[in-house]
Amino acid sequence: MANEFAILSLADSLARRLADAYPGTLRSTHACGFEAIGSGRLQSDPPLMDAGATVTVWPYRVAINSHARAHPRAVGKDPRGQTPRPLALDVHLLLSVWSARTATELVVFAWAVSELHRKPFLDATDLSGGAHWGPGDMIELVPNDLG
């Protein structure tokens, strides 16, 4: 079961996974960096690169998973005799591409969407440390409209 660093780890892990998967054929014509950001980063100028792009991953909304609300609140034992079940969250990530060049922005964005469609999850091999992910933990990436 992950800890309070899970949301940070999720955003960092997705940015790193995209960076690792970014193909050399695109890298040579559309240089690109990848980073997880918080809302404070959005107050500064957009993260443009001189000749390329930056893909940002921003966790803009967090909600308790609606399907998990119906489950019993506790199982097992804690000091009061109960152990809370894991907190199931829906983390909404906004993926943005920033570039001074329209062609680079659109090519990188199309590649990123295609890559997320190709592998719509993060597993133990993708998830960064610090959040105490379990070996069987997996994050499903589901496309969704802003709303």
Side-chain angles (χ1 to χ4, degrees):
M1 180 168 62
N3 62 22
E4 56 276 355
F5 293 97
I7 296 170
L8 171 62
S9 173
L10 169 61
D12 282 340
S13 297
L14 180 56
R16 190 182 70 246
R17 200 208 74 223
L18 290 171
D20 291 347
Y22 195 61
T25 54
L26 287 180
R27 214 175 280 278
S28 61
T29 55
H30 301 286
C32 189
F34 299 82
E35 67 176 298
I37 63 169
S39 57
R41 180 71 165 88
L42 296 174
Q43 294 174 350
S44 63
D45 292 331
L48 298 178
M49 293 178 61
D50 292 337
T54 299
V55 174
T56 57
V57 178
W58 176 40
Y60 72 93
R61 180 176 178 224
V62 178
I64 294 174
N65 181 280
S66 60
H67 300 291
R69 290 182 188 170
H71 293 142
R73 230 174 124 66
V75 292
K77 303 207 188 254
D78 71 1
R80 297 177 318 230
Q82 299 179 341
T83 300
R85 65 176 163 77
L87 178 61
L89 297 176
D90 290 335
V91 180
H92 297 249
L93 301 170
L94 180 63
L95 190 71
S96 299
V97 181
W98 307 85
S99 178
R101 295 178 44 216
T102 302
T104 295
E105 182 176 316
L106 297 177
V107 166
V108 169
F109 192 74
W111 171 83
V113 171
S114 175
E115 177 63 20
L116 293 176
H117 178 74
R118 185 188 69 77
K119 185 182 175 198
F121 60 89
L122 298 172
D123 59 21
T125 63
D126 300 310
L127 295 168
S128 65
H132 296 169
W133 297 106
D137 286 341
M138 185 181 81
I139 307 298
E140 183 179 11
L141 303 170
V142 179
N144 200 355
D145 293 333
L146 283 174

